[in-house]
Amino acid sequence: MPDAGAAWSQRRDTVPLPLQVDGLCYRVDEETLIDNISVSIDSPGISVILGPNGAGKSLFLRLIHGLIDPSAGDIRWRGRPPDLAQRRRQALVFQKPVLLRRSVAANIDFVLKPLGAGYRERRDQILQAAGLFRLRDHPARLLSGGEQQKLALARALATDPAVLLLDEPCASIDAGSTLQIETLLEQTSARGVKILLVTHNIGQARRLADDVLFLHHGRLLEYSPAEAFMKCPKSPPAQAFIDGNIVL
Ligand SMILES: Nc1ncnc2c1ncn2[C@@H]1O[C@H](COP(=O)(O)OP(=O)(O)O)[C@@H](O)[C@H]1O
Ligand SMILES: [Mg+2]
């Protein structure tokens, strides 16, 4: 598969690592949903945020992206709080793709048009890379779940992000689309884009992770290189999760 962004990427800024999270809390009413998470992520590869359903993975990703505000604590990229310029360099792909009720091509044009001349050529390249070129004139809402998710990812990549955040992008899609998305993510990471990937799929974590953040009940139980995490997790819930047991 051709690389989704290499052909046209204009900007090769360095990623503003480390991503420092300090004392991060998110509370709703009396309930603490994200509980005092501190971590400094400085690996340039794919960081997988792993944990059972309800662990707080989606909330943590939304806090990092700035979609919701923390109740306490802060987030810094290379020592600086996220400003508009930083937020513009981030793209988030949701678990359920949010697409415009227009054609496949128009969904990509929406983010590319502001970049001016040459956007159609870029759009076609990115649709080809995502395996969606032949569907470019189809209404996005008529695509299969896997195709919609690939389109959401292609649109995120079209913005040429320095940081790509994904929330369970393969949660309810077919094996073929999962493989294509994983390939796109590996290519994107190889181009130097920092990826934060939420999943509860241990197989996907094994295939893609360079490092793993393991969340449980809103707490960060471990942040380790992937190999160390898979071989020798530091907490009983992580061990149980890797073993495929139900983790409450
Ligand atoms: N806005 C909210 N109000 C109250 N509880 C919430 C809200 N959002 C999420 N939760 C709860 O917080 C916990 C963590 O949610 P979430 O981050 O979606 O988990 P995960 O993505 O790991 O499955 C869950 O128990 C969920 O029900
Ligand atoms: Mg979630």
Side-chain angles (χ1 to χ4, degrees):
M1 199 187 302
D3 187 335
W8 51 266
S9 181
Q10 289 187 317
R11 193 183 53 201
R12 282 281 59 90
D13 305 344
T14 56
V15 181
L17 295 171
L19 163 60
Q20 289 164 290
V21 175
D22 190 20
L24 198 70
C25 292
Y26 186 72
R27 299 186 198 98
V28 173
D29 301 325
E30 298 297 293
E31 212 178 346
T32 299
L33 302 173
I34 293 294
D35 192 357
N36 197 21
I37 292 183
S38 296
V39 65
S40 178
I41 298 173
D42 53 10
S43 82
I46 301 181
S47 296
V48 166
I49 299 163
L50 189 67
N53 282 325
K57 304 181 298 297
S58 295
L59 287 174
F60 184 56
L61 199 72
R62 281 161 191 251
L63 286 161
I64 289 175
H65 193 49
L67 275 185
I68 52 175
D69 293 324
S71 310
D74 60 49
I75 291 162
R76 287 168 189 271
W77 293 90
R78 199 181 288 147
R80 295 179 53 183
D83 55 11
L84 191 59
Q86 170 59 35
R87 292 207 169 131
R88 284 203 179 125
R89 301 179 65 200
Q90 300 172 192
L92 175 70
V93 178
F94 292 94
Q95 184 166 356
K96 288 191 184 136
V98 182
L99 298 170
L100 300 174
R101 292 174 67 83
R102 297 188 203 165
S103 71
V104 167
N107 269 272
I108 304 288
D109 291 350
F110 181 74
V111 296
L112 282 182
K113 264 184 191 164
L115 301 182
Y119 77 89
R120 285 192 188 86
E121 193 187 333
R122 285 193 199 177
R123 171 243 287 160
D124 290 349
Q125 284 169 345
I126 204 148
L127 286 178
Q128 254 151 2
L132 294 170
F133 186 69
R134 70 188 165 81
L135 298 170
R136 62 194 177 283
D137 296 323
H138 284 230
R141 68 181 187 285
L142 297 185
L143 299 178
S144 72
E147 289 162 348
Q148 289 195 11
Q149 194 56 282
K150 279 186 280 181
L151 179 55
L153 175 57
R155 190 179 53 186
L157 291 173
T159 66
D160 198 15
V163 182
L164 179 65
L165 305 101
L166 304 111
D167 192 355
E168 309 256 15
C170 304
S172 51
I173 66 176
D174 59 283
S177 294
T178 296
L179 182 59
Q180 284 176 315
I181 284 178
E182 290 189 358
T183 303
L184 278 170
L185 295 182
E186 282 170 337
Q187 291 170 341
T188 302
S189 173
R191 280 192 292 114
V193 176
K194 175 65 198 168
I195 293 181
L196 295 165
L197 170 70
V198 163
T199 184
H200 71 274
N201 181 331
I202 187 74
Q204 184 162 67
R206 279 186 208 281
R207 290 189 294 276
L208 294 182
D210 291 303
D211 45 12
V212 174
L213 295 95
F214 185 77
L215 264 64
H216 185 235
H217 291 178
R219 297 198 188 101
L220 179 67
L221 295 193
E222 179 165 356
Y223 173 46
S224 298
E227 212 182 309
F229 177 83
M230 298 298 173
K231 266 195 200 148
C232 192
K234 290 177 184 154
S235 65
Q239 181 68 64
F241 190 79
I242 288 175
D243 292 344
N245 296 327
I246 292 172
V247 180
L248 297 176

